[in-house]
Structure formats: structure tokens, C-alpha cells
Amino acid sequence: ETGVTQTPRHLVMGMTNKKSLKCEQHLGHNAMYWYKQSAKKPLELMFVYNFKEQTENNSVPSRFSPECPNSSHLFLHLHTLQPEDSALYLCASSPRTGQYEKLFFGSGTQLSVL
Amino acid sequence: LAKTTQPISMDSYEGQEVNITCSHNNIATNDYITWYQQFPSQGPRFIIQGYKTKVTNEVASLFIPADRKSSTLSLPRVSLSDTAVYYCPAGNKLTFGGGTRVLVKP
């Protein structure tokens, strides 16, 4: 148990569906992250939030829309996805942004787009 | 952009010491060196972090030479449960790389 909880663990959606991934951290951290991990590819940073403000968007397509209502919760809204978006989506948190900070990851949501 | 290079895979046997070396291209003066472990269908887990010389905790040791252009993660007396992918992301956490897949055999 890392203190970072992601739901759902598994999600299957069609290309026309709209769904949301949820992440909640119970560590009192102020920075939260979304990563994408495709099969046989490195972890890719998608978004970074620090004190609820987005500080990084790593050229992510607009069909992925993040939301951070407070420092404990992070959402990733999905719409009109493509099959190549199938991947493990990982949420992480850290006390604050900064290269010396340890990241605490959730177990991820395994997404399949049909 | 900071980038790291590490072997794709390594095999070992139970009870042996495993050493994984990571090359740090363009490491910045204030960058820390951090290692993570990832099991299938889970997120990466922090193992150890250092800036220079040697750091040891209950799980591993981290050796960093004076020029800081590489680091070596040492896992003492591995067991089957140490089979995982090990990452040494660049200091800003933006680039995790492909990691090293360690397989521990009985």
C-alpha cells in the first residue's frame, strides 16, 4: 500500500465512450502526476500538478483531459480514444515538485480501447 | 533533456548479488540519482536515492563515482521476489527510460 489509490483497476471502453480515471492520495502531498505506460515502452510523463495548478503538459492529445480539484485528488477524463491509447495509466504523488522528491505511485488503471 | 542508459535485461540466481549500472547523460549539478523497482501490473516503487559516493538502506546500496556520470544499484543476495524491472530515471523524473529487467532464477 503506497497511499495512492487508483480506480478503476481495469477499464474497457469503446472509441466513442467517455470515461474518467480517478486517483486519490492520502499522504498529504502537494504534487500529483499522470504517467502512461504502453506495452514494451518506457513510462511517459503526461501531466504534472503542483498545489492544484497544472505545471506540465507533455504534449498530450486533447482527448485526455486532466482535472485536479484539490491536492488529494486527480482525474483523467477520456473521450474519443484510439486503440493505441490502450495502456497502463499510473498516478503518482510527491510532497512537491522537484527532482529530489520521491514519487509514490498507485497500482494503475489498465485501459483497453476497442 | 536528461537521459539515462541502462542494460535491457539481466539474469541472476537466488542468493547472488546483482549490480545494475546506469549511465547518466547530461546529469545536472543539482540532480539527484534515484532508483525505482516495478513489478508487473503495479506502479514503480522507490528503492534508493543519492547524490554522490555511497548510500545504503535495508533494501539496496547505491554507488556513485565522483564524476556522477553513472551509478550502480547493488541488490545483495537476491531472491525470486526481486524479479522486476529497475529504473534509474533522469533527475527531473521526466524520463524513466526502458529500465532493466532482472530475472532471478532458482
Side-chain angles (χ1 to χ4, degrees), chain B residues 8-82:
Chain B
I8 294 174
S9 63
M10 297 179 70
D11 288 358
S12 183
Y13 291 91
E14 283 190 290
Q16 289 188 336
E17 179 181 79
V18 171
N19 296 304
I20 310 170
T21 297
C22 178
S23 296
H24 307 274
N25 184 31
N26 297 325
I27 188 168
T29 302
N30 60 346
D31 278 351
Y32 278 67
I33 294 168
T34 310
W35 284 80
Y36 290 83
Q37 173 193 56
Q38 185 179 25
F39 298 113
S41 300
Q42 293 186 29
R45 181 177 71 105
F46 171 88
I47 300 176
I48 197 166
Q49 182 183 71
Y51 184 79
K52 59 182 179 180
T53 63
K54 177 183 175 181
V55 179
T56 298
N57 62 21
E58 65 279 5
V59 177
S61 293
L62 179 60
F63 300 91
I64 304 169
D67 65 6
R68 299 190 349 106
K69 293 188 180 300
S70 67
S71 66
T72 299
L73 175 72
S74 180
L75 305 172
R77 298 179 298 282
V78 294
S79 63
L80 297 177
S81 62
D82 292 315

Side-chain angles (χ1 to χ4, degrees), chain A residues 24-42:
Chain A
E24 183 175 3
Q25 57 95 1
H26 308 276
L27 302 168
H29 290 168
N30 295 299
M32 297 190 78
Y33 311 74
W34 279 118
Y35 280 86
K36 174 184 177 183
Q37 187 170 37
S38 305
K40 300 182 180 180
K41 289 180 72 174

Side-chain angles (χ1 to χ4, degrees), chain A residues 79-100:
Chain A
H79 64 98
T80 58
L81 294 191
Q82 305 298 311
E84 59 264 31
D85 296 322
S86 298
L88 180 67
Y89 288 85
L90 290 161
C91 172
S93 72
S94 64
R96 61 197 65 79
T97 56
Q99 50 80 26
Y100 50 83

